[in-house]
Amino acid sequence: MPLRLVGLLLVAACGSELPPASVGIGGGGAGTTRQPAPLFGGTVAVALDGRTVAVSDPDRDLLWIVDVDKGVQAKVTLPAGSQPGRAIDDGQGHFVVALRKRGQVARVSMATRTALASTPVCAEPRGLSRAEGGLLLACATGEVMRVAGHEATVVRALEREVRDVLEVKGQVVASAFREAELLDVMSGGSMGRPRDMAAFPKSVTPVVFEPTIAWRTLARADGEVVMVHQHERRGEPTTAASMPNLPPVPVSSGYGRRPPQPTPPPMTMMPTPTPTTPAPTTQGCEESVMRTAVTRFTTSGPVSFEVPGVLPVDAALSPDGHTLAIAHAASHDVTLVDLRAPPTIDPSCGPANTPGLALHQRPRLEHPVGLAFLPNGELLVHYRAPHVLVLRGVGGTEVTRFVLEAPAVESSGHRLFHLSTGSIACASCHPEGHDDGHVWTVGGQARRTQALSGGLLETAPFHWAGDLPELQDVMRDTFVSRMGGELPGVDAITNLGQFLEGLEAPRPLARAQAANVAAGRAAFSKAGCGTCHSGTKLGSTASMPIGKGAATQVPSLVGVSRRGPWMRDGCAKTLRARFVDASCGGASHGDAHTLTPAELDALVAYLEGL
């Protein structure tokens, strides 16, 4: 049984006190006035000894070292602005942690609790895993790398945004983040994608949900790969008028509305389901456009099922591989799924459901962003607000609470961005402030999710047509009318704008960076692209007709290679298709039709490198 030390934390963010069964070292960390990092998950790593734990703190650029028997041991300072993410024991006495915003991995000594030299890797390091001969690293810019000591080498550069990389029975596989696809790293080919799921909320016309955003991909001991991702609705969202079971709300499209859910009982923890007495999901029929899903890549093909919760940023597998824990950052719960239980299908609702149970904390802790099982089956959960690491026993009850830092690094805009309005949050469609690449149907027209990073406030007026002058207008149109939320106060919306303004545009994919820049710029000029796409952002606040009906606001081209499919309706599946497919604008969108084949190649390569 872990040693219990006593501490007391006043939780300013929640206005309540934690119970006195807490351990930690006090004091508010430096940088508590800055905007917090967007939620991305994967912040907990357990060392090979099974008792030492590393917790990444991207808000303060710290790595916390916790001994589950003795309490918090140290907070290790990492370079300013590094935004630490995934960490892992390298087997050599170090935690290796990905510094997401510095393009490096740092080594932290477990013996001295100090940061050692960092190793340059790629522009946006993400997933880490152990493999034969060292560690594997996945990069959002497409590289899969092998890290051994101070050396980092590229195994392969893929043309996709990669989130996780795993060595499974000698084969290296990776997950494509936005497409939720499993890739064979050595060939670059697809190994499968979660299947679309059909629901029948009205028992009339099937509603299809397609997979997006692979938040976490894991491997079981038998080699089966498990992916936790989102499913997003294809087609026109349901209107409030067609949902008589809901109370009157100012909702025009029902993006985030769902039938009222039963209030969980006021207990510290709900009991964990067992294989013999599974606790069925009580989510019921949803009319929302977003679902959390799990896909198992089995020998007979992918099997997908729905799991309750909003914004599934992290997941972990129990040591025996039977239990999957999912951290839902927006709904503030951890869902346990028994992978031995067969999925069931409700023909009136769909899609497939599996027995699962949401663990609710009383008093509530918010934003679970990291999960890890200990070898004995106990579960660690990292919460942001208040900033604590909770150890749960095999039966689900809380054993110990380790206080990491107070006060929380929080802002009203950050909270608003990650706020669930029922079954969706802003961050659901805009993971980490970017976009999910999904094409929606809005008012009978195809509209692709817009990116919010790279200097949003400079693009005013907002929206596809540039017809919303202020951010408050966007919140009325989207957060209130489509997502079913309540209009926030002016201060919260202002702070939301500040939070989004601080999010950088995505870096270009690595395989696109060897372009002939001079030739690309010449083709860009010849095609007349610079008429609208100008300045440091290569964009404009103007709205222009481009041969597709109503005028469209000119977007920035910085990071454009990471924002497919392209055009406001997603008609271009590749950047090249934008210029050769007449249905995507053709001669009405610049003069690219005047380019020679070689010039078109140079233009596409140039855009891919922006």
Side-chain angles (χ1 to χ4, degrees):
M1 179 68 66
L3 176 67
R4 291 167 173 79
L5 304 179
V6 179
L8 186 64
L9 174 66
L10 180 64
V11 186
C14 299
S16 60
E17 287 187 343
L18 293 180
S22 302
V23 298
I25 55 181
T32 55
T33 58
R34 74 189 195 191
Q35 290 286 351
L39 304 186
F40 49 76
T43 56
V44 182
V46 178
L48 295 174
D49 65 12
R51 309 306 287 174
T52 306
V53 180
V55 182
S56 295
D57 187 346
D59 295 332
R60 301 173 182 83
D61 297 322
L62 299 173
L63 188 72
W64 295 85
I65 306 297
V66 179
D67 184 307
V68 295
D69 297 312
K70 300 176 181 178
V72 180
Q73 299 293 292
K75 57 177 181 179
V76 181
T77 301
L78 298 169
S82 58
Q83 202 178 90
R86 302 276 182 87
I88 196 169
D89 183 344
D90 69 353
Q92 304 297 318
H94 312 104
F95 278 115
V96 174
V97 56
L99 306 184
R100 291 166 55 99
K101 295 189 71 174
R102 289 182 68 93
Q104 301 172 339
V105 292
R107 295 163 68 241
V108 174
S109 170
M110 297 186 201
T112 64
R113 312 290 203 244
T114 57
L116 307 176
S118 297
T119 301
V121 283
C122 57
E124 295 183 4
R126 294 294 185 260
L128 281 165
S129 65
R130 277 184 289 271
E132 185 177 351
L135 304 177
L136 289 173
L137 170 71
C139 303
T141 44
E143 304 99 318
V144 171
M145 309 187 74
R146 193 173 296 275
V147 180
H150 296 285
E151 299 292 327
T153 56
V154 177
V155 176
R156 188 180 181 91
L158 303 171
E159 296 180 355
R160 314 288 281 280
E161 179 177 344
V162 183
R163 177 56 58 118
D164 283 295
V165 59
L166 306 164
E167 188 172 74
V168 181
K169 293 187 174 181
Q171 184 177 19
V172 180
V173 302
S175 61
F177 181 56
R178 297 164 84 250
E179 299 86 355
E181 190 167 5
L182 194 63
L183 307 174
D184 179 345
V185 170
M186 301 314 296
S187 70
S190 175
M191 297 180 63
R193 189 167 183 257
R195 293 173 177 166
D196 291 349
M197 296 195 293
F200 300 84
K202 296 281 170 205
S203 299
V204 181
T205 304
V207 176
V208 178
F209 289 78
E210 57 187 20
T212 61
I213 310 301
W215 284 106
R216 195 69 195 259
T217 303
L218 305 161
R220 303 175 75 186
D222 60 3
E224 180 181 284
V225 175
V226 179
M227 178 182 290
V228 177
H229 57 95
Q230 295 175 180
H231 258 89
E232 301 185 26
R233 181 169 174 167
R234 185 192 308 152
E236 186 77 33
T238 305
T239 63
S242 66
M243 301 163 64
N245 59 318
L246 292 178
V249 290
V251 179
S252 63
S253 300
Y255 276 20
R257 300 302 302 178
R258 57 190 290 185
Q261 302 299 295
T263 302
M267 59 178 63
T268 301
M269 181 62 58
M270 298 167 68
T272 304
T274 64
T276 55
T277 57
T281 297
T282 59
Q283 192 172 10
C285 287
E286 287 194 10
E287 295 285 357
S288 71
V289 297
M290 186 75 66
R291 302 174 188 265
T292 291
V294 175
T295 293
R296 299 173 58 180
F297 291 89
T298 69
T299 54
S300 57
V303 177
S304 299
F305 52 84
E306 177 190 349
V307 175
V310 184
L311 201 63
V313 296
D314 198 21
L317 281 166
S318 61
D320 59 13
H322 297 326
T323 301
L324 176 69
I326 305 173
H328 289 102
S331 52
H332 311 300
D333 55 41
V334 175
T335 304
L336 298 182
V337 178
D338 187 347
L339 294 178
R340 292 167 294 182
T344 59
I345 298 178
D346 182 339
S348 65
C349 288
N353 295 274
T354 192
L357 189 64
L359 305 182
H360 298 281
Q361 186 73 36
R362 294 292 184 271
R364 188 170 77 166
L365 302 179
E366 296 188 341
H367 295 161
V369 290
L371 295 173
F373 279 97
L374 296 178
N376 64 2
E378 293 179 322
L379 177 65
L380 290 162
V381 185
H382 177 206
Y383 293 91
R384 280 193 65 261
H387 196 214
V388 298
L389 180 68
V390 174
L391 177 65
R392 303 195 186 286
V394 176
T397 56
E398 180 177 329
V399 174
T400 306
R401 188 174 299 191
F402 306 98
V403 179
L404 300 178
E405 190 82 9
V409 178
E410 194 60 275
S411 76
S412 56
H414 182 273
R415 291 178 64 83
L416 180 56
F417 185 71
H418 298 96
L419 174 68
S420 168
T421 60
S423 61
I424 193 171
C426 298
S428 300
C429 303
H430 302 278
E432 300 177 32
H434 303 308
D435 70 88
D436 56 9
H438 190 64
V439 178
W440 308 90
T441 304
V442 180
Q445 298 180 325
R447 290 292 181 265
R448 181 196 172 286
T449 301
Q450 294 181 298
L452 302 181
S453 59
L456 176 70
L457 299 183
E458 299 176 30
T459 68
F462 305 106
H463 234 217
W464 293 289
D467 55 348
L468 300 179
E470 305 289 342
L471 193 56
Q472 188 168 0
D473 301 314
V474 179
M475 295 302 291
R476 285 194 183 94
D477 179 84
T478 302
F479 189 76
V480 176
S481 295
R482 302 191 186 284
M483 294 173 59
E486 295 182 3
L487 185 66
V490 174
D491 289 346
I493 295 177
T494 299
N495 192 262
L496 173 64
Q498 295 170 349
F499 166 70
L500 296 174
E501 185 69 12
L503 301 178
E504 298 176 356
R507 307 287 182 86
L509 294 171
R511 292 188 64 169
Q513 294 178 6
N516 185 328
V517 175
R521 284 176 176 167
F524 187 84
S525 177
K526 180 179 177 179
C529 302
T531 302
C532 297
H533 298 279
S534 59
T536 57
K537 302 289 186 182
L538 293 177
S540 170
T541 59
S543 295
M544 306 293 293
I546 54 173
K548 296 186 70 63
T552 299
Q553 190 183 57
V554 179
S556 168
L557 296 182
V558 177
V560 69
S561 66
R562 297 262 300 276
R563 300 207 303 266
W566 292 269
M567 303 293 284
R568 70 181 183 192
D569 57 359
C571 60
K573 305 307 178 185
T574 66
L575 274 175
R576 179 176 295 275
R578 148 63 196 99
F579 302 109
V580 299
D581 185 347
S583 66
C584 274
S588 298
H589 188 174
D591 299 320
H593 60 286
T594 66
L595 300 179
T596 66
E599 289 172 330
L600 180 57
D601 289 342
L603 174 60
V604 172
Y606 174 66
L607 294 175
E608 289 177 340
L610 293 175

